[in-house]
Amino acid sequence: MDTARKLKINCKPLDDLLGGGLEGGIITEFYGEAGSGKTNICIQATRECVLNGIGKVAYVDTESVSMERFIQICKGSYNKILSNTIFFKPSSFLEQEKIILGLPKVKNIGLVVVDTINMFYRIMMEDDEEGANRSLVRQLTSLQLLARKQNLYVIITSQVYTTENGDFRPFAGRGIEHMAKTIVKLERIGEGRRKAVIMKHRSQPEGREAVFYITKNGLE
């Protein structure tokens, strides 16, 4: 993979916001409330990765992605995209860790998606806070090394909580902030209308915003 090559999501406002698309060799995080567009971005990036011949997609699915939505976004190329997407469906945070640590053995991957990385983390935190934090560090470190060594694209999404001042932040935000080189906050601002805000980026200014729409066909 060309180190300067970007993976376009094929949604112009988002691609422009990211300086031309997703950057290879790093972790990119999207976080936001339910319905803010996180999974739609993951599916559309999956579509673009396969259709542009970048490689297969390893999709770690903790939230049971809708196949109906997958078909809508992938349209007539659904079968090709599905045959080049390897779905992993963990049922616990430690199982998720095992899957992520095993990804370097999977051949011909161009994109890794973890949607969402912190759902099972929240559950494990209730019984074993220290274990959950250690597992998260191992998972993020493994993803970062995989991205860098194989120059892959890596997307993680995060569930959020509401702060005292009414803002929302991702669970385990500090641990993720250290590892992710691009962080984008997603907000619902109307029917089908979403705002993306750069919270961290290596070349784009923090606070930069873009508005996009979620439609039947995906992101536009």
Side-chain angles (χ1 to χ4, degrees):
M1 188 194 302
D2 181 356
T3 54
R5 187 179 181 187
K6 301 288 181 74
L7 172 58
K8 291 185 181 295
I9 301 169
N10 202 7
C11 172
K12 192 174 187 304
L14 280 177
D15 288 330
D16 288 349
L17 182 73
L18 294 168
L22 297 165
E23 189 177 343
I26 65 164
I27 297 173
T28 297
E29 179 195 21
F30 293 94
Y31 74 87
E33 297 174 290
S36 58
K38 301 186 296 292
T39 297
N40 283 269
I41 288 172
C42 292
I43 296 172
Q44 195 146 315
T46 296
R47 182 189 76 192
E48 294 304 306
C49 179
V50 173
L51 293 184
N52 285 287
I54 293 168
K56 294 185 176 182
V57 179
Y59 200 120
V60 183
D61 175 23
T62 71
E63 300 221 10
S64 299
V65 63
S66 164
M67 280 299 112
E68 182 180 357
R69 186 60 176 148
F70 202 91
I71 292 168
Q72 280 183 335
I73 292 177
C74 296
K75 306 182 189 70
S77 302
Y78 166 72
N79 287 327
K80 178 180 180 179
I81 295 163
L82 194 61
S83 66
N84 285 281
T85 303
I86 307 160
F87 283 98
F88 299 90
K89 296 181 180 291
S91 57
S92 71
F93 200 53
L94 292 180
E95 188 179 343
Q96 179 177 307
E97 178 187 337
K98 185 177 179 181
I99 289 167
I100 288 174
L101 266 59
L103 289 178
K105 298 176 184 176
V106 183
K107 295 181 180 180
N108 303 318
I109 294 179
L111 167 66
V112 174
V113 173
V114 186
D115 182 27
T116 64
I117 195 158
N118 60 2
M119 188 186 85
F120 290 122
Y121 168 83
R122 293 172 62 183
I123 296 170
M124 188 173 175
M125 279 284 287
E126 296 175 7
D127 298 319
D128 184 3
E129 182 176 347
E130 187 177 340
N133 284 321
R134 282 200 306 264
S135 179
L136 180 66
V137 170
R138 286 192 294 266
Q139 292 181 44
L140 290 168
T141 301
S142 182
L143 288 170
Q144 185 185 51
L145 289 172
L146 180 65
R148 192 166 63 218
K149 286 181 178 179
Q150 299 189 26
N151 199 34
L152 303 177
Y153 301 99
V154 175
I155 297 174
I156 63 172
T157 67
S158 297
Q159 293 184 347
V160 298
Y161 67 93
T162 305
T163 63
E164 290 181 358
N165 64 6
D167 193 12
F168 53 86
R169 299 290 299 156
F171 285 93
R174 287 186 178 179
I176 296 172
E177 281 173 16
H178 178 66
M179 295 289 193
K181 300 305 179 189
T182 296
I183 300 177
V184 179
K185 177 182 179 181
L186 301 173
E187 300 177 38
R188 294 180 295 179
I189 56 173
E191 186 66 33
R193 198 162 174 252
R194 303 290 184 267
K195 181 168 72 174
V197 184
I198 294 284
M199 307 303 288
K200 179 182 179 182
H201 199 285
R202 299 203 287 190
S203 63
Q204 302 302 310
E206 291 180 17
R208 190 179 176 201
E209 301 177 357
V211 173
F212 65 98
Y213 293 84
I214 298 177
T215 70
K216 182 179 178 181
N217 296 321
L219 310 172
E220 298 179 356

